Structure formats: structure tokens, C-alpha cells
């Protein structure tokens, strides 16, 4: 039985990273989650998923009744945790230097006493290969070497500015710092024969300055100057942390196994790149002025288009390096966050049929060609194969955007995005004078359009519905005006928006569907409201002219962010964060909603 009090709330964490991997740092000074050395590598710290077996890297000031505060240094991903009490004030600065290579991976923790005399305890307890592999420990003059006994033979070196002890496979030290004194701990990948930059005596000071400067220079490139800039910038900085410097891809979230319901089974691995996220990511990056990142992601997408299946189809998700096989297994030895099991790695949904991904991919290519750079002839030839596949398969049942595991349906959203795929193909062909079977594409696109209005419209309720034959709505319908399928002021859309407001919203919070009324997802239990859908709802209100209502709900949603401006996938009944954290899609939705609403408010006031 899990002792729930041993687990911090999900929202109590901040995130740091080096564009190869990330770490979650709790307000209590404990790093409780880290895959290493890459986003989708096995964990070395996973106390967030098993308090006893997961492993952690904790630095704890021993201050009775200390208040815990946590902030990012402004416009950076450098995290400061502060502990305040009458006895003294302690501070821990955590960051990962951003290097240009994939060799140096350092996690730097600098501890300082600001006032008084503060006692500390440091415990570095890595557990290799998701806690499945044992390891050897060797104490050296400048720190401790941990060597995994697993197949990866991973070596970690903990470089310490003070002497430490080795106890039962852990590096441990109790130490005291007076006001103005500091200690530093650097955890890095150990590469035999490579002289590490961290060995330099001034590494901590120089890497700190360089890391701060890197992030501040990066955020200065944003061209967003509108309202809510702090929230938009934090979302942009978070998206950048989830972007692979090596491959250009963006992970959906840096974690796996965090539950959508405490004690429930909806626990998935999100450390992969979904095609679905592509257009949202590219659009956000381009709108904020990050053309270099947009080009990197587009290069990754082009690679997937070169590697289409024999019939011209895509996978719904890929590894960050583009690999297709992501077999799903369960970590039976982990109890899960607050006892929420099973804890899964890999993702069984990678083999599902989800027809909407073709629309999202074609929309991303269309946007990049329009706002980035003209696409190549080679990519166009692959896209023709892809659009042709859509014209032949759009009528199939599928698992849909929500990856249901309770049986395929004819989902409206899947039809909608097939329409987008063909429509954007036509637009690209006309814009660039590309050769294409336009007669067939036009005919199929119009057939889908007519079918959506005829077979997915409920005359009685005056709303579009989730799937053919249903009476329920689904938050994915919010994408209809966002992809320009229907006018945001069309009477049929406004009545649909009203139905979504009545059926799926609690004030500013939006459920993706009602679990017991919509298409079966094949899973037990409940789930929270989806933050991404809440931002979609705001943008739909904005586009329909309800600017004041949209602004109110947007600013209310900002109030559900954690203390650092971060969001998980969902929010629970009492506003607690649920699901993997932080989630890219939520922050993409925030950027899009804030950008659109800011522009429309400005335009309306200038008239």
C-alpha cells in the first residue's frame, strides 16, 4: 500500500533541462524524476513513481518550519529553490548547461546559505534502468562514480566540492554552511578518456552565467510583445526545454506514468513525438519568431515523410530519433505515483489507426511553406502519396484523437482532419504549382465536407456530435473553426459551442468528453479537465467575437498554473495537477489562445 504522504503534489515541481533531457525538481529540493541521458532513456531518478525504489537526488536544508519558495530566474530555465526560517535562509540553484554536443550532460546544483547557519543533508541515490539494474559505487578524490550493471553500462559521476560518504550504494553527506558560504554538486555522464569541462575550478560560476545568458538570449528572439507576455514566454521556454537539440523533435511531456486519476489506470508514457502535435508546435514557433526551431522540427517531419509505410501511411507517434517501434511494457516493481498503477513505458497506441494525424501533418507543412521556407520537390512527392492514402481511407473507423481502447468509431474529428489534409494539399499544389491529381482531391474533400454536415449534425440538439450515431459532444470539435472548416460565427458552430459549454465545461475548465456518455475508451475510472481543451475553448470564444468572456476564462486558466507557470495535462476536482507534467500541448494551446485573443482585442480597440 502506497504511503501517499511520501509523494509531493505534481504541481510542486519545476523543470530544468539541456535540450537532451530534463529533470523535475521539487520545492523540497529533491530531484524525483530524470531520464538520462536522453528524454526517452531509462530513468536514473524516479521517486515520483516509487518513493522507495525509484531513486532521487535530494538536498535538504534542515530548518524547522521553513517556508519553501521556488522561482525561475527571470526569462530563464534556471531554477531557484529557497528555504526561509527564523534560523536562516538557504538557497539551491539548479540548472543544466546547454552544450552544442551530445557528450556533456551535466546537472549542476549550487547550495548557498544566505543568512544564519544552516545544516544540510545531501543524498544522491541513482537507480538505473527504471530501478531494474543494480550498480557499483566507487569513491574517488573528487567525488563518486556510479556504474550501472545493466545492459547500457551507464556511468554517472557526482563531482562534489565537499567530501562525501558512500552508504549502501548512495552518496551521502551532512554539512553546514554559514552566511555567504556555498557548496556545489555536479552529476554528469562519465566518459572514460574525455576530460570533462566540469573539472575546471571555475566551471560552476562560468556555466551558471553561460546558462542564464543562453536562455535570456533565446527568449529575446520572441516577437511576442502583447498582453500576458510572462505566461507566453514561460510556455515558450517550456516548449524549448522539451525540444531535442539533436533531432529537432518535441516530446509531448518529459514524464511517464503520472496518473490522470489518483489510484487509476490511465497512466501513459508521453516521452515521444506525436505527429498530432506537429502543426500546433510549428504554428506556435513560427508565430513567436522561432524559425530555427520550426526548421528543425520540419526537418524531422520531412524525415518521417521519407519513411512512410509501404501504403503511404504514417505512424501516429515516433521516438525522438524517428524510430517507429515503441512497445508498451509495465514496470511491475514500481508502485506508481501515490499507488497509481500500472506504470507503463513505451506506448501501445503507436500501432493505432488515428486518421486525424494526416490533417495535422499537412497543416504543419502548409504553414511552414507559407511562413517559413518553400518545401522541397522530394517532400512534395511523398506528400502526394500521403494525401492519396487519405482519399482512399478517410471513411474508415479509427481510435481517434483520444486514442480510445474500447473499439473504433467513425469520429467527426478524424473526418475533419482528413478534410484538412486534402484541403492543405490542394492549397500547396496551387500555391507552388505542384503536379497533383487535383480532380480527385477536390472531389474527396467536398465529399467529406458534405458528409460532416449531413451525418454528424444532430438536428434535435442543434450541435455537431462526437461520432456517427452519437448524441454527445467532444472537446475535439473545438478545432472545427480553428482549422477553418467552419466560420467561428456560423450559427451551427455557435450552437455547437453552446452545447460544449453546457456539457463539458466547469467555468473555465473543459473536459475532453464525459467518460460514461461518449465513445468507450476501454478504461475504468474518471479523469480531470483537459488544460489543452480549456485553451481551445478560449480561442473559439475569441474568434467568435466573445472577447471579454474569452479574456476572463483565459486569465482564470492562468490561475490554475503552478507556482512557476507550468501545467500538467489535466486538472483534478480541487485544481490539483494530473497526468504527465509539464505537457507541451497545454503550453501550445496557451500560446495560441493568448496570441489570437491579444490580436483581436487590440484590433477591436483600434476601430
Amino acid at each position: 500500500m502506497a504511503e501517499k504522504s511520501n509523494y509531493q503534489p505534481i504541481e510542486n515541481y519545476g523543470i530544468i533541462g539541456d535540450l537532451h533531457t530534463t529533470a523535475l525538481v521539487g520545492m523540497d529540493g529533491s530531484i524525483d524524476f530524470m531520464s538520462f541521458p536522453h528524454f526517452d532513456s531509462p530513468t536514473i531518478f524516479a521517486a515520483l513513481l516509487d518513493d522507495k525504489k525509484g531513486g532521487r537526488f535530494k538536498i535538504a536544508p534542515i530548518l524547522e518550519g521553513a517556508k519553501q519558495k521556488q522561482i525561475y530566474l527571470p526569462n530563464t530555465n534556471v531554477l531557484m529553490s529557497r528555504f526561509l526560517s527564523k534560523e536562516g535562509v538557504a538557497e539551491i540553484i539548479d540548472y543544466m548547461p546547454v552544450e552544442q554536443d551530445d557528450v556533456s550532460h551535466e546537472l549542476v546544483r549550487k547550495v548557498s546559505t544566505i543568512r544564519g547557519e544552516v545544516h544540510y543533508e545531501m543524498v544522491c541515490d541513482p537507480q538505473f534502468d527504471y530501478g531494474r539494474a543494480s550498480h557499483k559505487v566507487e569513491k574517488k578524490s573528487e567525488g563518486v562514480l556510479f556504474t550501472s550493471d545493466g545492459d547500457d553500462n551507464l556511468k554517472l559521476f557526482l563531482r562534489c566540492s565537499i567530501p562525501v560518504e558512500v552508504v549502501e550504494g548512495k552518496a551521502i553527506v551532512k554539512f553546514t554552511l554559514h552566511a555567504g558560504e556555498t557548496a556545489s554538486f555536479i552529476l554528469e555522464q562519465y566518459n572514460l578518456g574525455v576530460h570533462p569541462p566540469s573539472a575546471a575550478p571555475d566551471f560552476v560560476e562560468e556555466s551558471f552565467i553561460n546558462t542564464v545568458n543562453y536562455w535570456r538570449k533565446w527568449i529575446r528572439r520572441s516577437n511576442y510583445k502583447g498582453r500576458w507576455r510572462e505566461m507566453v514566454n514561460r510556455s515558450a521556454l517550456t516548449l524549448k526545454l522539451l525540444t531535442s537539440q539533436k533531432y529537432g523533435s518535441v516530446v509531448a511531456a518529459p514524464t511517464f506514468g503520472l496518473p490522470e486519476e489518483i489510484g487509476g489506470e490511465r497512466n501513459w508514457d508521453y516521452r515521444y513525438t506525436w505527429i498530432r502535435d506537429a502543426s500546433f508546435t510549428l504554428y506556435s514557433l513560427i508565430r513567436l519568431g522561432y524559425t530555427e526551431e520550426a526548421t528543425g522540427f520540419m526537418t524531422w517531419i520531412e524525415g518521417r515523410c521519407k519513411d512512410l509505410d509501404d501504403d503511404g501511411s504514417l505512424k501516429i507517434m515516433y521516438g525522438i530519433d524517428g524510430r517507429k517501434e515503441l512497445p508498451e511494457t509495465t514496470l511491475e516493481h514500481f508502485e506508481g505515483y501515490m499507488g497509481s498503477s500500472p506504470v507503463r513505458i513505451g506506448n501501445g497506441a503507436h500501432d493505432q489507426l488515428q486518421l486525424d494525424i494526416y490533417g495535422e501533418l499537412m497543416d504543419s507543412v502548409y504553414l511552414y511553406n507559407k511562413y517559413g521556407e518553400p518545401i522541397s520537390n522530394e517532400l512534395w512527392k511523398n506528400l502526394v502519396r500521403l494525401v492519396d492514402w487519405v482519399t482512399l481511407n478517410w471513411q474508415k473507423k479509427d481510435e481517434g484523437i483520444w486514442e480510445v481502447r474500447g473499439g473504433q468509431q467513425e469520429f467527426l474529428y478524424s473526418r475533419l482532419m482528413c478534410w484538412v489534409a486534402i484541403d492543405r494539399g490542394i492549397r500547396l499544389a496551387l500555391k507552388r504549382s505542384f503536379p497533383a491529381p487535383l480532380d480527385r482531391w477536390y472531389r474527396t474533400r467536398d465529399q467529406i465536407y458534405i458528409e460532416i454536415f449531413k451525418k454528424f449534425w444532430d438536428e434535435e440538439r442543434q450541435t455537431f456530435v462526437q461520432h456517427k450515431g452519437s448524441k454527445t459532444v467532444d472537446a475535439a470539435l473545438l478545432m472545427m473553426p480553428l482549422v477553418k472548416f467552419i466560420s467561428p460565427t456560423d450559427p451551427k458552430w455557435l450552437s455547437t459551442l453552446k452545447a460544449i459549454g453546457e456539457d463539458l465545461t466547469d467555468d473555465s475548465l473543459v473536459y475532453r468528453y464525459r467518460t460514461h456518455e461518449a465513445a468507450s475508451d476501454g478504461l475504468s475510472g474518471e479523469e480531470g479537465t483537459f488544460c489543452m481543451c480549456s485553451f481551445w475553448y478560449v480561442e473559439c470564444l475569441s474568434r467568435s467575437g466573445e472577447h471579454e468572456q474569452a479574456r476572463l476564462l483565459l486569465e482564470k486558466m492562468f490561475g490554475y498554473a503552478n507556482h512557476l507557470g507550468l501545467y500538467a495535462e489535466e486538472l483534478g476536482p480541487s485544481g490539483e495537477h494530473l497526468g504527465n507534467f509539464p505537457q507541451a500541448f497545454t503550453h501550445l494551446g496557451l500560446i495560441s489562445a493568448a496570441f489570437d485573443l491579444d490580436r483581436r482585442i487590440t484590433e477591436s480597440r483600434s476601430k
Side-chain angles (χ1 to χ4, degrees), residues 416-434:
L416 170 71
M417 297 312 289
C418 285
W419 177 90
V420 170
I422 301 170
D423 178 73
R424 301 314 191 256
I426 291 170
R427 293 190 193 201
L428 266 170
L430 295 176
K431 179 79 174 175
R432 295 287 306 280
S433 300
F434 281 135

Short mmCIF file of all heavy atoms in Angstrom, two decimals, residues 416-434:
data_model
loop_
_atom_site.label_atom_id
_atom_site.label_comp_id
_atom_site.label_asym_id
_atom_site.label_seq_id
_atom_site.Cartn_x
_atom_site.Cartn_y
_atom_site.Cartn_z
N LEU A 416 -12.85 15.44 -39.98
CA LEU A 416 -12.46 16.85 -40.11
C LEU A 416 -11.01 16.98 -40.55
O LEU A 416 -10.69 17.74 -41.48
CB LEU A 416 -12.66 17.54 -38.76
CG LEU A 416 -12.08 18.95 -38.61
CD1 LEU A 416 -12.89 19.95 -39.42
CD2 LEU A 416 -12.06 19.36 -37.12
N MET A 417 -10.13 16.24 -39.90
CA MET A 417 -8.71 16.39 -40.21
C MET A 417 -8.32 15.72 -41.52
O MET A 417 -7.32 16.10 -42.14
CB MET A 417 -7.87 15.87 -39.04
CG MET A 417 -8.08 16.66 -37.74
SD MET A 417 -8.00 18.47 -37.90
CE MET A 417 -6.25 18.71 -38.19
N CYS A 418 -9.10 14.73 -41.96
CA CYS A 418 -8.89 14.21 -43.32
C CYS A 418 -9.24 15.30 -44.33
O CYS A 418 -8.54 15.46 -45.36
CB CYS A 418 -9.74 12.97 -43.55
SG CYS A 418 -9.12 11.48 -42.73
N TRP A 419 -10.30 16.05 -44.05
CA TRP A 419 -10.65 17.20 -44.90
C TRP A 419 -9.49 18.19 -44.92
O TRP A 419 -9.12 18.71 -45.98
CB TRP A 419 -11.92 17.86 -44.36
CG TRP A 419 -12.34 19.09 -45.11
CD1 TRP A 419 -13.16 19.15 -46.20
CD2 TRP A 419 -11.94 20.44 -44.84
NE1 TRP A 419 -13.31 20.45 -46.61
CE2 TRP A 419 -12.55 21.27 -45.80
CE3 TRP A 419 -11.12 21.04 -43.88
CZ2 TRP A 419 -12.38 22.66 -45.83
CZ3 TRP A 419 -10.94 22.41 -43.91
CH2 TRP A 419 -11.56 23.21 -44.86
N VAL A 420 -8.90 18.47 -43.74
CA VAL A 420 -7.77 19.40 -43.67
C VAL A 420 -6.59 18.88 -44.50
O VAL A 420 -5.95 19.64 -45.22
CB VAL A 420 -7.34 19.62 -42.20
CG1 VAL A 420 -6.03 20.38 -42.12
CG2 VAL A 420 -8.43 20.35 -41.43
N ALA A 421 -6.31 17.58 -44.39
CA ALA A 421 -5.17 17.00 -45.12
C ALA A 421 -5.31 17.26 -46.62
O ALA A 421 -4.36 17.70 -47.29
CB ALA A 421 -5.08 15.51 -44.84
N ILE A 422 -6.50 16.99 -47.14
CA ILE A 422 -6.70 17.15 -48.59
C ILE A 422 -6.75 18.63 -48.96
O ILE A 422 -6.16 19.06 -49.96
CB ILE A 422 -7.98 16.42 -49.02
CG1 ILE A 422 -7.88 14.93 -48.67
CG2 ILE A 422 -8.20 16.58 -50.53
CD1 ILE A 422 -9.18 14.16 -48.83
N ASP A 423 -7.42 19.43 -48.13
CA ASP A 423 -7.52 20.87 -48.39
C ASP A 423 -6.15 21.52 -48.43
O ASP A 423 -5.85 22.31 -49.33
CB ASP A 423 -8.38 21.52 -47.31
CG ASP A 423 -8.49 23.02 -47.50
OD1 ASP A 423 -9.20 23.45 -48.43
OD2 ASP A 423 -7.84 23.77 -46.72
N ARG A 424 -5.29 21.19 -47.46
CA ARG A 424 -3.95 21.80 -47.44
C ARG A 424 -3.10 21.27 -48.59
O ARG A 424 -2.25 22.00 -49.12
CB ARG A 424 -3.26 21.54 -46.11
CG ARG A 424 -3.98 22.06 -44.86
CD ARG A 424 -4.50 23.49 -44.97
NE ARG A 424 -4.94 23.97 -43.67
CZ ARG A 424 -6.21 24.09 -43.27
NH1 ARG A 424 -7.20 23.77 -44.11
NH2 ARG A 424 -6.51 24.55 -42.07
N GLY A 425 -3.33 20.02 -48.99
CA GLY A 425 -2.64 19.50 -50.17
C GLY A 425 -3.01 20.29 -51.41
O GLY A 425 -2.14 20.65 -52.23
N ILE A 426 -4.30 20.58 -51.57
CA ILE A 426 -4.77 21.38 -52.71
C ILE A 426 -4.16 22.78 -52.67
O ILE A 426 -3.66 23.29 -53.68
CB ILE A 426 -6.31 21.45 -52.70
CG1 ILE A 426 -6.91 20.08 -53.02
CG2 ILE A 426 -6.81 22.49 -53.71
CD1 ILE A 426 -8.40 19.99 -52.79
N ARG A 427 -4.20 23.39 -51.51
CA ARG A 427 -3.66 24.76 -51.38
C ARG A 427 -2.17 24.80 -51.72
O ARG A 427 -1.70 25.73 -52.39
CB ARG A 427 -3.87 25.28 -49.96
CG ARG A 427 -5.33 25.51 -49.58
CD ARG A 427 -5.39 26.26 -48.26
NE ARG A 427 -6.71 26.27 -47.67
CZ ARG A 427 -7.11 27.16 -46.78
NH1 ARG A 427 -6.28 28.10 -46.37
NH2 ARG A 427 -8.32 27.09 -46.26
N LEU A 428 -1.42 23.80 -51.24
CA LEU A 428 0.01 23.75 -51.53
C LEU A 428 0.26 23.58 -53.02
O LEU A 428 1.13 24.25 -53.60
CB LEU A 428 0.66 22.58 -50.76
CG LEU A 428 1.29 22.89 -49.41
CD1 LEU A 428 1.66 21.60 -48.70
CD2 LEU A 428 2.53 23.76 -49.58
N ALA A 429 -0.50 22.67 -53.63
CA ALA A 429 -0.32 22.41 -55.07
C ALA A 429 -0.58 23.68 -55.88
O ALA A 429 0.17 24.00 -56.81
CB ALA A 429 -1.25 21.29 -55.51
N LEU A 430 -1.64 24.42 -55.52
CA LEU A 430 -1.97 25.64 -56.25
C LEU A 430 -0.95 26.75 -55.97
O LEU A 430 -0.55 27.48 -56.89
CB LEU A 430 -3.37 26.10 -55.88
CG LEU A 430 -4.51 25.15 -56.28
CD1 LEU A 430 -5.84 25.67 -55.77
CD2 LEU A 430 -4.56 24.97 -57.80
N LYS A 431 -0.55 26.86 -54.71
CA LYS A 431 0.39 27.92 -54.33
C LYS A 431 1.74 27.75 -55.03
O LYS A 431 2.34 28.72 -55.48
CB LYS A 431 0.58 27.89 -52.81
CG LYS A 431 1.53 28.92 -52.25
CD LYS A 431 0.89 30.27 -52.15
CE LYS A 431 1.78 31.27 -51.44
NZ LYS A 431 1.20 32.63 -51.45
N ARG A 432 2.19 26.50 -55.12
CA ARG A 432 3.53 26.22 -55.68
C ARG A 432 3.48 25.65 -57.09
O ARG A 432 4.52 25.28 -57.64
CB ARG A 432 4.25 25.23 -54.75
CG ARG A 432 4.56 25.77 -53.34
CD ARG A 432 5.70 26.79 -53.35
NE ARG A 432 6.88 26.23 -53.97
CZ ARG A 432 7.74 25.39 -53.37
NH1 ARG A 432 7.52 25.04 -52.12
NH2 ARG A 432 8.79 24.92 -54.03
N SER A 433 2.29 25.54 -57.65
CA SER A 433 2.11 24.95 -58.99
C SER A 433 2.69 23.54 -59.04
O SER A 433 3.30 23.13 -60.04
CB SER A 433 2.77 25.83 -60.06
OG SER A 433 2.20 27.12 -60.07
N PHE A 434 2.49 22.77 -57.97
CA PHE A 434 2.96 21.40 -57.92
C PHE A 434 2.00 20.49 -58.71
O PHE A 434 0.78 20.72 -58.71
CB PHE A 434 2.97 20.90 -56.47
CG PHE A 434 4.15 21.36 -55.65
CD1 PHE A 434 3.96 21.83 -54.35
CD2 PHE A 434 5.44 21.31 -56.15
CE1 PHE A 434 5.03 22.23 -53.57
CE2 PHE A 434 6.52 21.72 -55.37
CZ PHE A 434 6.32 22.19 -54.09
#
